Amino acid sequence: MKKKQNTYEPAFAEGQEPQPEKKPKRPRADAVFSATADTAPLPGTGTGAGSSRAGAPPRRKAYHGKLKAFLLLFSILMLAGLLGYCAMADNYKECFIPGTYINGIEATELTAEDIKARIKAEAEDYAITVTFRGTEPGSTVTEKIDAKDFGYHYISGKDVDDVFNAQDRYRWPLAYFGQNNNHTVGTDTDYEEEDLKAAFFNLNETKPEGQVLPSNAYISVDENSMFTIVPEVDGNCLKNEEAYQLLSAAVAGRAGSVDLTNAELYHAPDVRSDDPSLTDRVNEINSFLGTVIKLNLPDGSQRTIDQNFLKKCLVKNADGSYEISDSEVWDEVRAYVADLGIDINTASKGRPFTSTLRGTVYIKMKEQVGVQMDQEATTASIATAIINRQSQDINLSYSVFSEASNIADSGTYVEVDKINQRVFVYVNHQQVLDTPCVTGQVTDPVTDTPEGLFSIIDMRKGIHLLSYYSSGEIQYDSEVEYWMQFTYDADGFHDASWRTKFGGDDYKYIGSHGCVNLPRDAAAKMYSCVYLGMPVVVFS
């Protein structure tokens, strides 16, 4: 920035040098105050030497006056301050001086009664939180007991009065210089023991309806039919008296909370899931149930004895535990083998035959053929293997085991179904005849047509059938065109022209004397199809 310059007209003649400006000189001090013969005295000051004794110089007098004024003012201020200080100190006769703290409460300008009231309010503003074990595993429940519930109250002592009486009220200004008076006094309290008990035992967690009783671990069967341990239930059944003692101690110490979840405060189950008596038993039972016995049946198939059967050999005790019973094993195996015998024993039934209308039937034989299981020997083999936990294949024991092929497998035979009153003739697995018939009178064993496996032993045409009673009377005397005998007791197939009806229930009321009566056309066709030695199957 350029400086601004001032312009003016010169005050001297052209060509004349400017002269510097002269400042007036200040008079010297000694020239003013010293009096000489050559200097005239100032008006009103006297003359000559006598003027120096007339008094002090004027500046010194002014100084002394100011000092006096200052001292007077200072004295007034000090007196006022002292009076104010004393007045303030007097003000603290009934209250605490600034900077006083009692139990952390600022007591400045508060009376002892005010502080007592504050301490009482804080002391009685009390509640204790109680934590219990919940009903679910790992859960907790909290309850709160207020001071008013059990008469919790402050006991006023002399501590506050002692602090007040001991204070030096004249030290009140020190608080303004950062000096505080901190005091701690007792806060004695008391409460009604019976009321605290009542409040505690009125909580839901201390009542039977709010508690889950502990239960022991036990053995059970899972969805896979294997035995497993069901864990114990700890529950939350509190030992109330022991828990109350902890609560009482916490209240006496003015604690804000008390933890009552410690396991020792609760009734516990007697048997836990890690108890060897359970784990060993489960392992033993599952080893037992792991046994697999396969039975080789006479038809080449197998039956399997597995855990579904073995579970029936376990005994459940009154306490819910299980044990393996050898006697139960024997009883269950005997029953199983008996049922198995019903399915596979054929010797007592006879020889199997696939009938036309009734499926497989068994034809009675004079000698046992087929299968008859030795039940005791088979039972012993199975039970011993189970008890010894030996998985294996077992061949059944038999008292009868012989060939018993199905008669129908030959494909050529005569079938007499007494129930349905029909006769079928098969040649090379082809049915060549199906006809109704009338068999022997079933109400008399003598006239009932015998059952079993026979064969055609005689074939004739146009014969005379004659029979006598034991008395000698003629029982019957009949002419037949076709005769096909199949027993040595003269039972055979023949036409019966004297009958107008075949099939139905006639055999029950007006049956033959043991022969199989046929319509004439059916007898003729049958005669043309059968041959000597051809099998005949009669069954009911």
Side-chain angles (χ1 to χ4, degrees):
M1 177 184 292
K2 292 183 179 181
K3 292 182 179 180
K4 184 178 181 182
Q5 296 180 347
N6 294 320
T7 57
Y8 58 90
E9 293 294 331
F12 46 83
E14 185 177 357
Q16 185 178 0
E17 292 293 332
Q19 298 297 319
E21 182 181 359
K22 293 182 180 180
K23 295 182 179 179
K25 294 182 178 181
R26 294 180 61 187
R28 290 171 53 187
D30 54 357
V32 176
F33 296 106
S34 298
T36 63
D38 296 329
T39 304
L42 294 174
T45 62
T47 60
S51 64
S52 61
R53 293 191 299 270
R59 278 186 78 176
R60 185 172 296 176
K61 288 181 178 180
Y63 172 75
H64 287 294
K66 290 180 179 179
L67 180 59
K68 289 179 181 180
F70 172 77
L71 292 175
L72 179 60
L73 178 61
F74 179 76
S75 298
I76 294 172
L77 291 175
M78 287 296 290
L79 180 59
L82 180 60
L83 292 175
Y85 168 75
C86 292
M88 287 295 291
D90 189 63
N91 185 52
Y92 294 119
K93 281 183 179 181
E94 303 297 332
C95 60
F96 289 98
I97 64 174
T100 302
Y101 289 83
I102 300 177
N103 289 3
I105 302 172
E106 185 178 6
T108 302
E109 297 186 358
L110 296 178
T111 66
E113 294 305 317
D114 292 336
I115 294 300
K116 290 178 185 179
R118 289 280 298 275
I119 293 175
K120 174 181 172 63
E122 290 190 6
E124 294 181 357
D125 182 20
Y126 174 69
I128 186 166
T129 300
V130 187
T131 303
F132 297 92
R133 179 192 287 178
T135 56
E136 296 298 326
S139 66
T140 59
V141 178
T142 58
E143 297 280 6
K144 187 177 181 181
I145 302 177
D146 290 316
K148 60 181 175 56
D149 296 333
F150 57 100
Y152 190 87
H153 60 278
Y154 169 67
I155 301 175
S156 178
K158 296 182 179 181
D159 291 354
V160 176
D161 293 330
D162 292 343
V163 171
F164 178 76
N165 294 331
Q167 80 170 352
D168 184 356
R169 67 179 184 273
Y170 292 101
R171 296 172 60 89
W172 64 266
L174 297 180
Y176 299 101
F177 297 96
Q179 182 175 340
N180 293 330
N181 298 313
N182 295 307
H183 302 276
T184 300
V185 299
T187 55
D188 294 338
T189 55
D190 196 8
Y191 60 89
E192 299 298 331
E193 184 80 19
E194 293 303 318
D195 290 348
L196 179 60
K197 278 187 177 181
F200 178 70
F201 289 115
N202 196 44
L203 298 177
N204 186 60
E205 289 70 25
T206 63
K207 297 178 180 178
E209 57 266 28
Q211 297 178 343
V212 175
L213 295 175
S215 60
N216 293 333
Y218 62 95
I219 298 174
S220 182
V221 183
D222 63 16
E223 64 275 8
N224 298 317
S225 296
M226 297 301 290
F227 279 71
T228 185
I229 298 175
V230 177
E232 68 280 358
V233 175
D234 287 318
N236 66 333
C237 187
L238 191 66
K239 297 177 181 177
N240 287 346
E241 288 299 332
E242 294 180 23
Y244 175 74
Q245 295 304 318
L246 289 180
L247 171 67
S248 180
V251 170
R254 196 177 166 77
S257 63
V258 61
D259 187 350
L260 300 182
T261 61
N262 191 304
E264 295 180 356
L265 294 174
Y266 293 84
H267 294 281
D270 297 322
V271 181
R272 294 190 173 275
S273 56
D274 57 356
D275 191 312
S277 65
L278 286 184
T279 56
D280 292 348
R281 177 60 52 144
V282 166
N283 292 335
E284 180 186 7
I285 292 176
N286 285 335
S287 174
F288 172 78
L289 295 178
T291 304
V292 177
I293 306 295
K294 293 184 177 180
L295 305 177
N296 297 320
L297 304 186
D299 62 358
S301 64
Q302 285 187 323
R303 291 273 183 96
T304 300
I305 294 177
D306 56 16
Q307 59 182 342
N308 293 321
F309 171 83
L310 297 177
K311 281 191 299 184
K312 295 186 290 186
C313 302
L314 299 175
V315 175
K316 188 174 183 179
N317 300 318
D319 62 357
S321 63
Y322 288 84
E323 65 178 69
I324 301 168
S325 170
D326 289 353
S327 62
E328 286 294 324
V329 171
W330 280 95
D331 291 344
E332 291 295 336
V333 171
R334 282 194 185 94
Y336 179 86
V337 170
D339 290 341
L340 180 62
I342 294 173
D343 294 338
I344 70 171
N345 287 339
T346 59
S348 61
K349 298 177 182 178
R351 210 169 151 184
F353 172 71
T354 305
S355 68
T356 302
L357 299 179
R358 292 162 52 196
T360 300
V361 296
Y362 288 88
I363 308 304
K364 296 178 181 179
M365 309 293 290
K366 290 183 179 180
E367 295 182 357
Q368 284 191 331
V369 295
V371 171
Q372 185 67 38
M373 182 173 56
D374 185 338
Q375 294 191 5
E376 282 303 314
T378 301
T379 297
S381 298
I382 297 173
T384 301
I386 291 174
I387 291 172
N388 294 330
R389 322 286 200 270
Q390 294 175 340
S391 296
Q392 57 183 281
D393 290 5
I394 293 179
N395 293 318
L396 306 184
S397 299
Y398 302 97
S399 58
V400 176
F401 191 89
S402 63
E403 180 68 26
S405 60
N406 194 310
I407 299 170
D409 290 346
S410 66
T412 300
Y413 53 88
V414 178
E415 174 184 346
V416 181
D417 185 342
K418 292 170 62 177
I419 297 298
N420 289 296
Q421 289 291 287
R422 298 195 76 82
V423 173
F424 303 95
V425 178
Y426 287 86
V427 177
N428 295 326
H429 300 286
Q430 297 294 319
Q431 186 186 92
V432 296
L433 178 64
D434 173 9
T435 179
C437 67
V438 176
T439 59
Q441 178 79 28
V442 296
T443 58
D444 186 351
V446 175
T447 59
D448 187 16
T449 303
E451 299 177 12
L453 177 58
F454 311 96
S455 62
I456 302 295
I457 59 175
D458 187 21
M459 296 179 63
R460 298 182 191 184
K461 287 184 179 181
I463 68 170
H464 187 77
L465 301 178
L466 180 64
S467 176
Y468 296 90
Y469 289 112
S470 57
S471 62
E473 291 185 67
I474 296 175
Q475 185 178 14
Y476 59 83
D477 184 3
S478 303
E479 294 284 343
V480 298
E481 294 187 41
Y482 303 100
W483 170 253
M484 296 154 281
Q485 186 175 337
F486 60 88
T487 76
Y488 290 100
D489 290 326
D491 297 304
F493 300 95
H494 62 79
D495 54 295
S497 57
W498 57 90
R499 290 187 181 276
T500 58
K501 177 186 174 185
F502 295 87
D505 293 335
D506 281 6
Y507 76 106
K508 297 179 181 179
Y509 313 109
I510 52 172
S512 72
H513 295 90
C515 291
V516 180
N517 295 173
L518 302 172
R520 181 187 179 285
D521 292 344
K525 185 171 183 180
M526 179 178 176
Y527 192 88
S528 67
C529 296
V530 302
Y531 56 86
L532 292 177
M534 186 172 182
V536 176
V537 181
V538 183
F539 60 92
S540 62

